[in-house]
Amino acid sequence: MTSKIKINDLNLFYDDKQALHDINVTVKEKQVLSLIGPSGCGKSSFLRCINRMNDRVEGIRIKGKVMIDNLDIYDRAVDVVSLRARVGMVFQKPNPFPKSIYDNVAYGPKIHQQCATKGDMDHVVEKSLRRAGLWEEVKDRLDHAGTGLSGGQQQRLCIARAIAVNPEIILMDEPCSALDPIATAKVEELIDELREKYTIIIVTHNLQQAARVSQQTAFFHMGRLVEAGETGEIFTNPTDERTQGYITGRFG
């Protein structure tokens, strides 16, 4: 299976504090990688390195390489706007824009000038909402505010917004932590469907969720990647006692 993302010797500093230490990991194409570990262990900081969201934080320094296909995304020649079109992001708390459902999904394609006509845009909006499993629920009220949807629907709207620009990678930072069990099940089902087209990295505190949705799992502890591998192996036969301790609930 082809590698989509390769990370070599990644170190991240916030001023004098080192948040990530020598991270090396490969993410396979069209697979889901779950990032697990205690709070504050570097999972979200790591995730934000992959679309350069950390660029916005003052005093940040990054050493090492993040390669998507054969592109070093920290190369000075890389255009960050086009990078973020390739790497979509879904946050912990659903954050639809204060716009209509239609305009939420159309926002990215408009900015990146991906649609020549209104008909093209209509097609993209419908296709994205269908992929996010939301079309049947909202097709008769596309002009209503996205913020008026339920929490689970808002999160699926945010996923539709992320995929509307046709990215290759989707980053998800605890996308279900603010949702009820029914909405969570829908998002998990959606992640499984999206994997046919996208490479997905998800941060989750829910170990059962990691076991359900991912093919690969990486365990972080105190800013270090302790181990990474096939999800079944990590959960049933981890090589490091810290992983074993976290999975069995002895700490974290």
Side-chain angles (χ1 to χ4, degrees), residues 220-239:
F220 280 74
H221 186 243
M222 297 178 75
R224 297 179 188 277
L225 175 59
V226 175
E227 63 179 301
E230 289 191 15
T231 296
E233 278 290 298
I234 295 287
F235 277 92
T236 58
N237 192 25
T239 58

Side-chain angles (χ1 to χ4, degrees), residues 14 60 76 88 94 100 138 142 146 157 180 218 224-225 230 244:
Y14 294 109
I60 204 154
R76 285 182 181 176
S100 69
V138 302
L142 294 176
L157 177 61
D180 63 53
R224 297 179 188 277
L225 175 59
E230 289 191 15
Q244 179 78 33

Side-chain angles (χ1 to χ4, degrees), residues 32-130:
V32 180
L33 169 70
S34 281
L35 309 180
I36 61 169
S39 292
C41 68
K43 303 183 299 292
S44 292
S45 292
F46 171 75
L47 195 72
R48 287 160 181 263
C49 289
I50 300 168
N51 68 346
R52 291 184 51 175
M53 285 283 283
N54 287 326
D55 286 16
R56 300 173 177 200
V57 180
E58 265 188 57
I60 204 154
R61 281 184 300 122
I62 288 175
K63 292 180 178 174
K65 280 198 168 177
V66 178
M67 307 289 292
I68 295 178
D69 297 327
N70 292 314
L71 175 74
D72 178 358
I73 68 166
Y74 284 91
D75 188 294
R76 285 182 181 176
V78 168
D79 175 51
V80 178
V81 175
S82 58
L83 169 70
R84 292 194 187 126
R86 291 181 69 190
V87 186
M89 182 120 188
V90 177
F91 295 92
Q92 182 171 0
K93 195 164 178 268
N95 62 339
F97 301 139
K99 297 172 178 282
S100 69
I101 293 166
Y102 183 99
D103 286 341
N104 262 275
V105 183
Y107 182 79
K110 264 184 198 159
I111 281 183
H112 296 288
Q113 300 177 330
Q114 291 176 331
C115 295
T117 66
K118 172 79 165 58
D120 291 346
M121 186 66 83
D122 291 348
H123 175 68
V124 166
V125 169
E126 179 177 341
K127 189 169 82 171
S128 303
L129 287 167
R130 281 190 186 280

Side-chain angles (χ1 to χ4, degrees), residues 204-217:
T204 180
H205 270 106
N206 183 329
L207 296 180
Q208 289 80 16
Q209 181 173 74
R212 284 192 297 264
V213 304
S214 63
Q215 293 70 51
Q216 306 280 312
T217 295

Side-chain angles (χ1 to χ4, degrees), residues 133-189:
L134 196 57
W135 175 252
E136 292 302 327
E137 294 165 50
V138 302
K139 64 183 180 185
D140 298 324
R141 48 185 175 135
L142 294 176
D143 57 341
H144 291 209
T147 49
L149 297 171
S150 71
Q153 288 174 322
Q154 285 187 26
Q155 193 62 301
R156 282 183 286 144
L157 177 61
C158 293
I159 292 169
R161 188 177 70 198
I163 61 183
V165 292
N166 208 20
E168 298 158 36
I169 296 161
I170 303 173
L171 309 176
M172 297 184 167
D173 196 354
E174 296 204 51
C176 301
S177 66
L179 305 183
D180 63 53
I182 292 167
T184 294
K186 282 192 171 175
V187 171
E188 286 185 6
E189 204 176 295

